[in-house]
Structure formats: structure tokens, C-alpha cells
Amino acid sequence: GAGVSQSPSNKVTEKGKDVELRCDPISGHTALYWYRQSLGQGLEFLIYFQGNSAPDKSGLPSDRFSAERTGGSVSTLTIQRTQQEDSAVYLCASRVSGGAGETQYFGPGTRLLVL
Amino acid sequence: AQKITQTQPGMFVQEKEAVTLDCTYDTSDQSYGLFWYKQPSSGEMIFLIYQGSYDEQNATEGRYSLNFQKARKSANLVISASQLGDSAMYFCAMSPRSNDYKLSFGAGTTVTVRA
């Protein structure tokens, strides 16, 4: 079946602009995660969704970052007033809920470059 | 909080030989999952293998096996019969068996397979 998809695959923006990153999880996966991968910080957790709720937003680096999920499916990560330090690869992952579904499956990522 | 340590930044291995990638972890959780992911130059995170903390047997998936030593808190990945396509970055990760299952990652090991 189809895996996790993300769009756009690459995004170049100017400092101060807003960007939206999209994630389409594997069908039936109720848990969805956003991670960020940057040279200096490695792979960091950003936010977790269970259904449309986000019980863990602890990894969002500032209030410029927000995310939502609608219909228990597609999620959008929004970065407002982008800064150069936001340049990174943003990875989305999804997982089946329940004890047998611990493994997270990742999308191809969105490479964000802020000029 | 979880901490994952991968002490080998880069490794070279000859085609058809086996290679062991080291991973140690630190956690106060009693129940957790351990994962290895492969990230080729294309950037996608590919799930390789999973080990639950209460699994008595070491996990195996084709040419991948996980050498799990719970008392030593290590979860080394063994790749047998290396192939040129195994050249990639490899990440060790863990998640607590709690409501969110969010992943903590090590810094990664770059493997280069030589012909």
C-alpha cells in the first residue's frame, strides 16, 4: 500500500515568510509525528497527534511553529516568520495505535531552506 | 528522558562482509522499544528492525539482526553480507511504551560499503 507522503519535497523561502508543510500518513494510522533533522541538532521530535488531538507539543521550538491535523488524516506543519535556523529537513511519520503498532514509518521529508 | 549513543561516526566495510553498528541507550522506562532506521542519500528514513525490551530473543530481519543486551543497555545492529546498496546513514532509536511512543534518536553512523 501507499506509504507516508509529504509535500513539497523541497521548499526555498525568504526569511520572514510563512511556510506550510503537508503530511499524508498511511491509511488507518491514527498516530502521526513530526520530526526535524538539522545538521547541528540531529533528529528532534516536534509534535505528536493521536487522531486530531495533539497531546504532546513539547518539541515545538517556538510559538512560530504550529501544526494541525484534520479528519484523522492529513497534517499541516506551519512555520510563521521563518528564520534561517529553521532550515532543516522536516520528517513526518505515522504509526498504527495499539501495542502491536510501535513502529513509525517515515515519509520522504520536506527540505526547507530559508534564505 | 532517553539518551541514545552511537559512538561510530563513520565506518567502512568490504562488500560481502559483516558489519556491527554500536548503540547504547539510557532510560528510566521499564518497557520500551528499540529501532534501527536506514537513511540513504535520498533522505528517506527506512525502518529496518525492532526489538522490544521484554523480548527474550534477538530480532532478525533478513540480513539485519539486533544484538540486544539489556543489562548493558546496548542494541547493536549487525548487517551480514554487506552490499553496495547498504551504504547509508544508520540511526538507532528508542521509544518508551507509553501513550505517545515518540522516538529519540542517536547521532547516526555512516556506513560506506567498498567493492
Side-chain angles (χ1 to χ4, degrees):
Chain A
V4 179
S5 60
Q6 292 186 245
S7 62
S9 53
N10 292 281
K11 177 72 176 178
V12 180
T13 191
E14 293 180 349
K15 178 182 172 182
K17 301 280 190 183
D18 297 352
V19 296
E20 283 190 355
L21 313 180
R22 175 188 167 108
C23 171
D24 205 337
I26 293 171
S27 178
H29 282 195
T30 56
L32 185 148
Y33 303 78
W34 285 96
Y35 296 88
R36 180 169 74 172
Q37 185 175 24
S38 56
L39 283 175
Q41 301 297 323
L43 275 151
E44 313 169 89
F45 165 80
L46 296 178
I47 187 169
Y48 155 66
F49 285 92
Q50 180 58 47
N52 292 336
S53 303
D56 190 346
K57 307 178 183 179
S58 61
L60 294 177
S62 75
D63 58 8
R64 296 185 296 105
F65 288 71
S66 63
E68 65 175 11
R69 189 178 184 195
T70 55
S73 181
V74 171
S75 176
T76 303
L77 177 69
T78 301
I79 309 173
Q80 296 179 308
R81 305 181 302 281
T82 52
Q83 303 294 311
Q84 289 180 334
E85 61 262 28
D86 299 335
S87 296
V89 177
Y90 290 82
L91 292 162
C92 176
S94 71
R95 172 180 71 82
V96 172
S97 292
E102 293 185 52
T103 299
Q104 295 180 30
Y105 296 91
F106 284 79
T110 293
R111 287 152 191 78
L112 175 65
L113 178 61
V114 182
L115 301 176
Chain B
Q2 293 80 37
K3 183 177 179 182
I4 314 296
T5 303
Q6 294 180 255
T7 57
Q8 306 151 311
M11 298 184 72
F12 291 94
V13 60
Q14 205 65 31
E15 196 177 11
K16 299 180 186 178
E17 291 185 351
V19 62
T20 298
L21 308 184
D22 295 340
C23 173
T24 58
Y25 60 91
D26 192 16
T27 182
S28 56
D29 293 290
Q30 296 301 308
S31 183
Y32 47 88
L34 295 156
F35 305 81
W36 279 91
Y37 287 87
K38 172 184 178 181
Q39 188 176 43
S41 56
S42 61
E44 188 165 0
M45 294 285 280
I46 302 168
F47 165 71
L48 296 178
I49 195 167
Y50 160 81
Q51 177 88 40
S53 59
Y54 283 100
D55 295 340
E56 294 186 352
Q57 291 201 329
N58 287 342
T60 60
E61 287 286 349
R63 294 186 298 110
Y64 304 107
S65 60
L66 199 153
N67 184 359
F68 179 46
Q69 296 186 46
K70 189 172 182 178
R72 297 180 61 184
K73 294 189 175 179
S74 75
N76 298 341
L77 177 70
V78 180
I79 306 174
S80 62
S82 295
Q83 302 172 356
L84 295 177
D86 294 335
S87 295
M89 180 82 107
Y90 289 81
F91 290 95
C92 180
M94 73 173 295
S95 70
R97 285 201 180 133
S98 63
N99 288 336
D100 61 10
Y101 293 85
K102 65 186 179 187
L103 289 167
S104 299
F105 289 87
T109 296
T110 300
V111 172
T112 303
V113 181
R114 290 169 164 160

